[in-house]
């Protein structure tokens, strides 16, 4: 074998990118080193890189490709809501500052208004959200993010948006991890539709990543 390529639509262990408590291992570094020992090329989608700029800083392989599902998700959102409102009347919202790249990429695809909330996390299930200065009254809002895990951040953002007069709040994420009661929490917060890619198997999967990954894989193999 001359070359080993890893295609991991959801690249696990990237979220632990710092020590939140004394003595914690930084899983991103350790798993990244292990992967770099065995693989020459890595292709993934929307990896958690919030404290570093590039995927190869976490996994030091010859080729490290981080694709984004944001434009694909944005197109699904536009199609799903076309009967309710034109794409230009949508508001795309990121639930926290870390979601800004996905929101900006989707906004570029649809050409609609967008904003990003500010988040203060006091614990895994204790999140406080501050909304940006973007008018949402009587408008359809779609929260866009890379990962939904506990659902608390998205739920807090949805509650704030509905209190500010949003006509509806839907959610589109790349990776639907959805631990424990996440779906119940988001439904209880007033979130109407929840859409995801098929990077993690879930009933909410509406976007296939194979058409996104295949050209990148072909290009990597030809390089």
């Amino acid at each position: 074998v001359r070359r080993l390529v890893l295609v991991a639509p959801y690249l696990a262990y990237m979220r632990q990118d710092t020590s939140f408590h004394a003595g914690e291992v930084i899983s991103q570094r350790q798993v990244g080193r292990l992967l770099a020992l065995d693989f020459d090329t890595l292709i993934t989608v929307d990896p958690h890189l919030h404290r570093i700029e590039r995927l190869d800083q976490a996994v030091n392989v010859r080729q490290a490709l981080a694709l984004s599902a944001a434009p694909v998700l944005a197109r699904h959102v536009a199609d799903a809501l076309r009967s309710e409102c034109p794409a230009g009347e949508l508001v795309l919202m990121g639930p926290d500052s870390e979601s800004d790249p996905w929101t900006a990429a989707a906004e570029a695809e649809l050409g609609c208004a967008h904003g990003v909330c500010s988040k203060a996390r006091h614990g895994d299930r204790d999140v406080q959200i501050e909304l940006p200065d973007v008018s949402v009254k009587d408008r359809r809002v779609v929260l866009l993010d890379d990962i939904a895990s506990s659902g608390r951040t998205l739920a807090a953002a949805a509650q704030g948006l509905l209190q500010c007069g949003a006509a509806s709040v839907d959610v589109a994420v790349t990776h639907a991890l959805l631990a424990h009661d996440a779906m119940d929490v988001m439904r209880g917060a007033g979130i109407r539709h929840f859409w995801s890619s098929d990077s993690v198997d879930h009933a909410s999967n509406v976007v296939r990543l194979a058409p996104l990954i295949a050209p990148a894989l072909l290009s990597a193999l030809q390089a």
Side-chain angles (χ1 to χ4, degrees):
V1 175
R2 292 182 293 114
R3 187 180 192 182
L4 282 174
V5 179
L6 171 64
V7 177
Y10 172 62
L11 188 59
Y13 298 102
M14 294 294 105
R15 300 179 72 198
Q16 183 79 22
D17 53 6
T18 188
S19 292
F20 298 99
H21 303 285
E24 281 186 340
V25 67
I26 302 179
S27 302
Q28 185 184 87
R29 295 178 186 172
Q30 300 306 319
V31 173
R33 288 168 183 160
L34 287 172
L35 293 176
L37 289 174
D38 291 327
F39 294 97
D40 304 293
T41 297
L42 168 64
I43 300 174
T44 187
V45 182
D46 289 333
H48 189 96
L49 304 178
H50 296 162
R51 290 180 172 85
I52 56 178
E53 295 179 355
R54 304 184 317 275
L55 179 59
D56 62 3
Q57 292 174 286
V59 187
N60 186 23
V61 292
R62 188 173 73 184
Q63 286 180 299
L65 305 179
L67 310 177
S68 177
V72 186
L73 285 167
R75 289 194 290 274
H76 174 82
V77 166
D79 290 341
L81 301 182
R82 181 173 288 116
S83 62
E84 299 179 18
C85 63
E89 294 183 10
L90 291 174
V91 177
L92 295 178
M93 192 72 65
D96 54 39
S97 60
E98 295 175 341
S99 63
D100 185 51
W102 291 271
T103 310
E107 184 272 338
E109 182 71 26
L110 298 184
C112 57
H114 82 287
V116 177
C117 304
S118 300
K119 176 176 69 176
R121 182 179 289 279
H122 306 293
D124 288 344
R125 296 170 178 265
D126 184 6
V127 180
Q128 184 176 358
I129 296 292
E130 181 177 339
L131 300 179
D133 186 20
V134 176
S135 176
V136 297
K137 185 172 175 57
D138 298 325
R139 302 181 75 176
R140 306 287 182 184
V141 180
V142 176
L143 288 163
L144 190 72
D145 208 355
D146 59 338
I147 295 174
S149 181
S150 72
R152 264 61 182 181
T153 298
L154 291 164
Q159 288 175 328
L161 290 164
L162 291 169
Q163 289 169 4
C164 288
S168 64
V169 177
D170 301 313
V171 171
V173 302
T174 304
H175 310 298
L177 301 186
L178 301 175
H180 307 300
D181 59 349
M183 285 301 298
D184 291 336
V185 168
M186 290 188 288
R187 297 295 186 204
I191 290 172
R192 186 178 57 159
H193 300 303
F194 182 92
W195 302 299
S196 67
S197 81
D198 61 356
S199 67
V200 178
D201 185 43
H202 189 262
S204 64
N205 295 164
V206 294
V207 169
R208 294 177 61 246
L209 293 181
L212 176 68
I213 294 171
L217 177 58
L218 180 62
S219 177
L221 293 175
Q222 293 174 339

